[in-house]
């Protein structure tokens, strides 16, 4: 039995959807009377919002729990949230006596009540996936960062053979049109100038016969909202309508994250990806016709079971064909309970390492080339943080690059800059016009 916590800290790991959930948990705890702990201050309640996508990410959750013990031997109330909580449920508490609450990604609207019960000495687990959407129970959004996340779709029915998401996040659900529009409006009133629509398969979003392109067009008329993005998309849900929105919705930024995973049809089939290398390339071609300057980004897995040298070469080839502006690449990590975890011919660690290095070197060539092609361009950036040097600020280009500039503009303002130089992961620019008024 302990006192009801007065202060809290939420730490989120993994994908942007976890960042969104972390923000919503903080808003919920704030609305129930707790205050966010200050920088460096011990919090009475710590929520670890975890990621289960690869083994390393899941193990990190437990080592972070262990580190919450204070020097005097006391501990905060500890809530394990997110996908590790969902996947491990009751077992999580068996693995660490530090954990008081285990709450899954679809049940965190019950967190304030669970905190009260845990303070009274109960150890609680809630990994239900209730039919009633948690979103209905969350408070209205009041404050937003200049670029704000908005989850519109959750879960996944695709069942790629390597992936835990269908098990940890449940079946694909889309939030209703009106709820999304209302949340977007609240975010803009709270200070957002850019909204990033999120979903495990965001382009599968639908409300009746209305799809993501219609939603984007609706959001584009919100006064004060300057930019719209969406992520992550699945190649099979990349409809002509959505591609068309890239041609004629000015506020839709020229950036598309469209993971391919592998360039080999044999591996794509074993992954249950439901696209081929050729169908993926056709989609990219259509997107480039609609928006010639678009930055394409992707995800790759190397070392999937039975991946031969020739399969891996096919992945390198597709990287050359697409010329990715940026990408995430991972070594295959077997996840318990997924079909791929028991597939034959696992790839030795040293082969995976070598393939990952070669892939990343090629991806870096293309991202450097893309960034260099921006030199001399005039473009608008949204300032989102301070740089390390005095007077330096960092903003995001339409193509999602970080741009370093010297300016007096504040976070949340937009500035027109000329790009002067390029590095593999960022650009440097100089201001050509003062900040554009909000
Ligand atoms: N829904 C998105 C899609 O299908 O493209 C991806 C969502 S997943 C959260 C993000 C990325 O993690 C995947 O695109 C994949 O590259 C990577 N990933 C998922 N499971 C993995 C595993 N078992 N091992 C290595 N990487 C994995
Ligand atoms: Fe995982 Fe595949 Fe669903 Fe993406 S589409 S979340 S990789 S199962």
């Amino acid at each position: 039995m302990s006192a009801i916590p007065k202060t809290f800290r939420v730490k989120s790991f993994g994908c942007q959807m976890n960042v969104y959930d972390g923000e919503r948990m903080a808003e919920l705890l704030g609305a129930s009377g707790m205050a966010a702990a200050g920088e460096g201050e011990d919090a009475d309640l710590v929520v670890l919002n975890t990621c289960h996508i690869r083994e390393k990410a899941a193990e990190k959750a437990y080592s972070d729990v262990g580190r919450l013990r204070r020097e005097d031997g006391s501990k905060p109330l500890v809530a394990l949230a997110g996908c590790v909580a969902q996947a491990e449920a009751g077992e999580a508490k068996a693995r660490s006596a530090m954990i008081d609450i285990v709450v899954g990604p679809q049940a965190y609207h019950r967190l304030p009540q669970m905190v009260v019960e845990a303070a009274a000495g109960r150890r609680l687990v809630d990994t239900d996936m209730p039919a009633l959407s948690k979103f209905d129970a969350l408070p209205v959004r009041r404050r937003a960062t200049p670029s704000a996340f908005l989850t519109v779709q959750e879960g996944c029915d695709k069942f790629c053979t390597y992936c835990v998401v269908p098990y940890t996040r449940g079946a694909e659900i889309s939030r209703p049109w009106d709820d999304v529009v209302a949340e977007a409006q609240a975010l803009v009133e709270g200070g957002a100038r850019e909204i990033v629509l999120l979903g495990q398969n965001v382009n599968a979003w639908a409300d009746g016969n209305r799809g993501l392109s219609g939603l984007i067009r609706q959001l584009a008329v919100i006064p004060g909202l300057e930019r719209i993005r969406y992520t992550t998309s699945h190649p099979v849900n990349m409809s002509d309508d959505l591609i068309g929105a890239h041609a004629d919705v000015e506020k839709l930024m020229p950036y598309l994250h469209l993971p391919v995973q592998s360039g080999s049809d044999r591996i794509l089939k074993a992954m249950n990806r439901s696209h081929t290398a050729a169908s993926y390339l056709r989609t990219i071609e259509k997107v480039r016709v609609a928006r010639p300057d678009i930055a394409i980004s992707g995800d790759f897995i190397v070392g999937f079971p039975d991946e031969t040298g020739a399969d891996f070469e096919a992945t390198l080839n597709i990287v050359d064909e697409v010329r990715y502006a940026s990408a995430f690449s991972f070594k295959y990590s077997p996840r318990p309970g997924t079909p791929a975890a028991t597939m034959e011919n696992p790839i030795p660690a040293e082969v995976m390492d070598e393939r990952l290095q070669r892939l990343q070197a090629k991806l870096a060539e293309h991202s450097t080339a893309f960034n260099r092609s921006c030199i001399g361009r005039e473009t608008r950036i949204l300032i989102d943080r301070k740089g390390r040097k005095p007077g330096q600020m960092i903003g995001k280009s339409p193509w999602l690059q970080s741009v370093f500039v010297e300016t007096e503009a504040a976070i949340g303002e937009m500035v027109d800059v000329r790009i002067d130089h390029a590095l593999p992961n960022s650009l440097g620019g100089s201001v050509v016009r003062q900040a554009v008024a909000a």
Side-chain angles (χ1 to χ4, degrees), residues 356-372:
L356 188 66
Q357 271 182 25
R358 284 180 60 198
L359 174 62
Q360 290 185 338
K362 191 168 270 303
L363 289 168
E365 270 172 37
H366 288 290
S367 61
T368 305
F370 183 83
N371 285 350
R372 286 209 180 117

Side-chain angles (χ1 to χ4, degrees), residues 53-54 162 200 259 261 273 299 301 330-331 333 335:
I53 198 84
R54 284 168 289 277
Y162 50 81
Q200 247 86 41
Q261 312 299 354
R273 280 297 286 182
D299 289 351
I301 297 178
F330 312 101
K331 285 188 270 186
S333 170
R335 309 306 294 127

Side-chain angles (χ1 to χ4, degrees), residues 124-167:
L124 303 150
V125 178
D126 190 343
T127 50
D128 272 8
M129 295 201 176
L132 171 81
S133 158
K134 71 185 170 213
F135 294 103
D136 297 340
L138 298 175
V140 175
R141 315 214 61 184
R142 303 210 183 280
R143 287 223 312 263
T145 45
S147 174
F149 291 141
L150 199 177
T151 292
V152 299
Q153 181 278 333
E154 279 208 274
C156 184
D157 296 338
K158 306 264 188 309
F159 289 93
C160 300
T161 52
Y162 50 81
C163 185
V164 288
V165 168
Y167 312 96

Side-chain angles (χ1 to χ4, degrees), residues 155-352:
C156 184
D157 296 338
K158 306 264 188 309
F159 289 93
C160 300
T161 52
Y162 50 81
C163 185
V164 288
V165 168
Y167 312 96
T168 57
R169 291 268 172 173
E172 238 167 67
I173 59 139
S174 292
R175 292 180 68 192
W177 172 286
D178 289 345
D179 292 9
V180 174
V181 174
E183 188 169 329
Q185 254 150 356
L187 287 168
V188 174
E189 279 158 29
R193 311 210 48 195
E194 170 176 286
I195 288 185
V196 186
L197 303 173
L198 298 180
Q200 247 86 41
N201 289 297
V202 70
N203 57 347
W205 182 91
D207 183 349
N209 56 13
R210 298 184 287 189
L212 190 68
S213 61
L215 183 66
I216 288 170
R217 288 172 199 279
Q218 176 73 37
L219 299 185
V221 301
I222 297 178
L225 179 61
E226 310 277 353
R227 296 174 154 196
I228 302 169
R229 302 180 186 275
Y230 61 95
T231 196
T232 291
S233 295
H234 193 289
V236 294
N237 297 116
M238 210 58 221
S239 67
D240 287 347
D241 263 9
L242 183 55
I243 295 174
H246 279 282
D248 51 39
V249 179
E250 212 185 316
K251 291 182 181 178
L252 183 58
M253 291 293 101
Y255 176 90
L256 175 65
H257 184 63
L258 197 65
V260 68
Q261 312 299 354
S262 167
S264 153
D265 286 346
R266 203 177 68 84
I267 295 297
L268 288 171
K269 191 154 186 255
M271 287 176 163
N272 193 30
R273 280 297 286 182
S274 67
H275 59 83
T276 60
S279 70
Y280 178 87
L281 287 171
R282 276 197 299 276
T283 303
I284 297 290
E285 183 52 35
K286 280 201 230 170
V287 172
R288 283 199 162 127
V289 168
R291 183 75 207 227
D293 69 335
I294 199 156
I296 304 289
S297 156
D299 289 351
F300 295 88
I301 297 178
V302 298
F304 188 79
D306 202 30
E307 182 189 68
T308 61
D311 293 321
F312 176 65
E313 290 299 326
T315 298
L316 295 179
N317 288 342
I318 206 163
V319 170
D320 281 338
E321 294 220 34
V322 175
R323 306 181 312 279
Y324 289 91
S326 65
F328 301 94
S329 46
F330 312 101
K331 285 188 270 186
Y332 168 68
S333 170
R335 309 306 294 127
T338 59
T342 50
M343 284 183 185
E344 286 177 3
N345 297 335
I347 304 301
E350 61 279 12
V351 177
M352 279 207 217

